[in-house]
Amino acid sequence: MFKIIAPILALLGAIVYQLELPRMVRIFIGVGHTAEPLSSFPYTCRRIYHKGMEACEDMWLSQSTRQLFLACSDPLARAQWMPNMLHFNVSGRGLNDAIVVVDIDEMSPDKLKPRVLETPGFPGTNGDGRLHLVGLTGVDDSDGNVRLWVINAKPSVDPMSGEFSDNSKVGGNSTVELFRAGPYASSLDHVKTFAHSQIATPNNVAPVGDQGNSFYFTNDHGVTKTGIMGHLAPVLGGGDVSFCDDTTCKEVARGLKFPNGLAKGHDGLIYVPSSILGVIDVFEPQSNGNLTKVDQIDVGYSLDNLAVDSDGEIFAAVITDTFKFFAANNDPYGKDAPTAAVRIHKGLDGRYKVAKVIEDSLAEVLPASTAVVHDPKTGKLFFSGVSSPFVGVCEPK
Ligand SMILES: *[C@@H]1O[C@H](CO)[C@@H](O)[C@H](O)[C@H]1NC(C)=O
Ligand SMILES: *[C@@H]1O[C@H](CO)[C@@H](O)[C@H](O)[C@H]1NC(C)=O
Ligand SMILES: *[C@@H]1O[C@H](CO)[C@@H](O)[C@H](O)[C@H]1NC(C)=O
């Protein structure tokens, strides 16, 4: 018996001795904020229900082609298969995950035509052609096309038998997939697969944009994919930021507590949100991909994905009530959760200012959001959530 109890006591000790424990508890419970309903904000919001455009963990807006790309799945499947959250029921995984695109300038409610993008020639897992989507981020290229880097959280397969491995023991086999698309896309060209032992629990990508296909990504649980240490990695700071160029990958920042949807700012810096600390660590990239930490922004909310708009402002989907957020994820058709978005503005003095732009404290309209995208041209805000069966759109009043 002691054999089991001793490591558990050691772990509990490690957790209690975390200096940041009080902060983690505060962020988790979501104390210290004024909860405001949608009616307090100058927006009109509505839901979009569309088959295939569900459980979209992340979004990316291409300004050059005016296309919004969404990484979508099946709301009920997320609770079964999501290796990042240590959900390893392979037989319950989503079988129809797809990147969906919307032409946002042709988006009146009666004219909405999201397209589920085909991925011809993409091998998937064991040749099934399937994706298992988490984060995605693109780059507008000067030739008018876009490149999309996509996290594919696929299951591990036993190389001998060709059958699925016991993924709860070996973990998933996530890759980063690079696709290319043009304007009014109906399909994605598969460019290449990044597979590497350092791509272990990838959450999201921040393409460098100007050096080949290089990108930064977060391993939200570091390289520990399974087991009790996997479950504790967010609290113990097992997360990392890693960097891949066209040939290899390496860890470039460690000790992070659930690093989530990172982004590259227009200032060239890499912004890495920590979901359970409610802060954004700011890093300066070096020419060899290494990162030097230069700042930390106190957001004070549990953070999910960041998105940089075309003006260079950073928008973050924040989770204002973690209990309700998880309850909604476990019962996506039955429960809604409050949500909010914040904008992080860098002043001329280099200081960051954080402001809430909208909140749906009563969970009236918006999804239990993990991503928010702002379009400066129209002022619209788009919301999607990892398990939500709908997407939200808000227009300025
Ligand atoms: C795994 O998923 C399948 C298919 O959705 C489901 O029937 C089964 O009950 C799930 N297993 C567990 C242990 O939840
Ligand atoms: C993991 O994925 C890579 C790239 O798709 C593949 O080559 C490899 O065989 C997979 N390994 C396992 C154990 O599934
Ligand atoms: C920076 O990168 C180099 C080469 O990739 C590596 O050997 C070195 O340890 C890194 N330095 C730091 C301080 O992380």
Side-chain angles (χ1 to χ4, degrees):
M1 198 59 188
F2 188 70
K3 264 191 183 144
I4 305 166
I5 290 171
I8 290 176
L9 285 180
L11 284 172
L12 284 177
I15 293 168
V16 169
Y17 276 99
Q18 295 284 308
L19 289 174
E20 288 161 322
L21 188 63
R23 182 178 176 95
M24 289 191 260
V25 172
R26 219 165 4 99
I27 295 293
F28 189 84
I29 300 174
V31 293
H33 306 295
T34 318
E36 296 169 278
L38 266 184
S39 57
S40 313
F41 298 89
Y43 287 95
T44 310
C45 300
R46 64 189 167 91
R47 289 181 177 182
I48 300 176
Y49 288 90
H50 206 283
K51 185 140 179 56
M53 205 162 68
E54 303 173 299
C56 310
E57 202 275 340
D58 196 18
M59 301 180 280
W60 176 73
L61 177 60
S62 158
Q63 274 298 343
S64 72
T65 68
R66 304 289 291 160
Q67 296 179 106
L68 181 68
F69 292 88
L70 302 97
C72 306
S73 182
D74 166 349
L76 296 174
R78 297 282 196 190
Q80 300 298 329
W81 174 257
M82 188 138 192
N84 296 70
M85 301 306 291
L86 288 90
H87 300 162
F88 290 118
N89 181 3
V90 181
S91 53
R93 75 197 184 286
L95 300 178
N96 297 301
D97 285 25
I99 296 167
V100 176
V101 71
V102 182
D103 298 314
I104 60 165
D105 291 333
E106 286 158 38
M107 215 183 146
S108 62
D110 47 329
K111 237 169 74 179
L112 183 72
K113 287 194 210 82
R115 296 185 297 284
V116 174
L117 298 179
E118 310 270 325
T119 53
F122 174 64
T125 309
N126 247 358
D128 67 3
R130 288 191 175 113
L131 285 161
H132 299 283
L133 296 170
V134 190
L136 102 179
T137 309
V139 161
D140 283 311
D141 281 327
S142 50
D143 64 2
N145 289 315
V146 306
R147 270 178 300 162
L148 277 182
W149 285 253
V150 174
I151 305 287
N152 184 25
K154 72 183 190 313
S156 290
V157 171
D158 182 318
M160 304 301 270
S161 67
E163 304 286 322
F164 290 121
S165 308
D166 182 348
N167 277 259
S168 66
K169 294 222 170 69
V170 301
N173 182 21
S174 295
T175 56
V176 175
E177 301 296 340
L178 178 61
F179 292 99
R180 189 183 283 113
Y184 304 105
S186 58
S187 67
L188 295 167
D189 293 333
H190 186 231
V191 180
K192 74 183 273 182
T193 296
F194 293 87
H196 190 280
S197 57
Q198 191 59 34
I199 304 178
T201 58
N203 181 298
N204 215 330
V205 262
V208 173
D210 48 6
Q211 295 165 24
N213 297 313
S214 304
F215 60 90
Y216 290 93
F217 69 98
T218 45
N219 277 313
D220 56 28
H221 288 59
V223 290
T224 313
K225 295 183 187 180
T226 60
I228 178 94
M229 292 315 283
H231 283 283
L232 289 174
V235 180
L236 299 179
D240 69 55
V241 181
S242 295
F243 172 81
C244 298
D245 60 20
D246 276 294
T247 50
T248 189
C249 305
K250 64 176 180 179
E251 182 192 78
V252 291
R254 58 175 14 180
L256 300 174
K257 294 182 167 161
F258 209 117
N260 206 307
L262 78 177
K264 184 182 174 190
H266 286 193
D267 53 11
L269 302 177
I270 305 295
Y271 293 82
V272 183
S274 160
S275 290
I276 69 170
L277 285 182
V279 298
I280 298 173
D281 291 312
V282 187
F283 295 94
E284 186 174 293
Q286 310 301 315
S287 55
N288 64 358
N290 285 10
L291 290 180
T292 309
K293 186 165 163 178
V294 294
D295 212 335
Q296 186 177 66
I297 307 167
D298 183 354
V299 178
Y301 286 101
S302 181
L303 289 154
D304 208 297
N305 290 311
L306 305 184
V308 180
D309 75 11
S310 53
D311 291 339
E313 305 277 0
I314 301 171
F315 283 74
V318 303
I319 297 163
T320 56
D321 184 326
T322 314
F323 290 106
K324 285 188 180 156
F325 175 78
F326 284 120
N329 285 351
N330 287 328
D331 183 9
Y333 293 102
K335 293 200 176 86
D336 296 313
T339 203
V342 297
R343 183 183 56 230
I344 296 117
H345 170 79
K346 191 184 192 179
L348 290 174
D349 58 0
R351 296 238 177 100
Y352 293 97
K353 288 190 189 64
V354 179
K356 193 196 305 180
V357 286
I358 193 166
E359 180 170 7
D360 183 2
S361 64
L362 304 174
E364 292 168 290
V365 179
L366 297 179
S369 303
T370 52
V372 59
V373 159
H374 177 240
D375 174 33
K377 196 175 157 190
T378 57
K380 282 182 187 169
L381 292 165
F382 300 91
F383 291 86
S384 70
V386 61
S387 295
S388 295
F390 56 88
V391 164
V393 187
C394 300
E395 300 188 39
K397 271 183 186 154

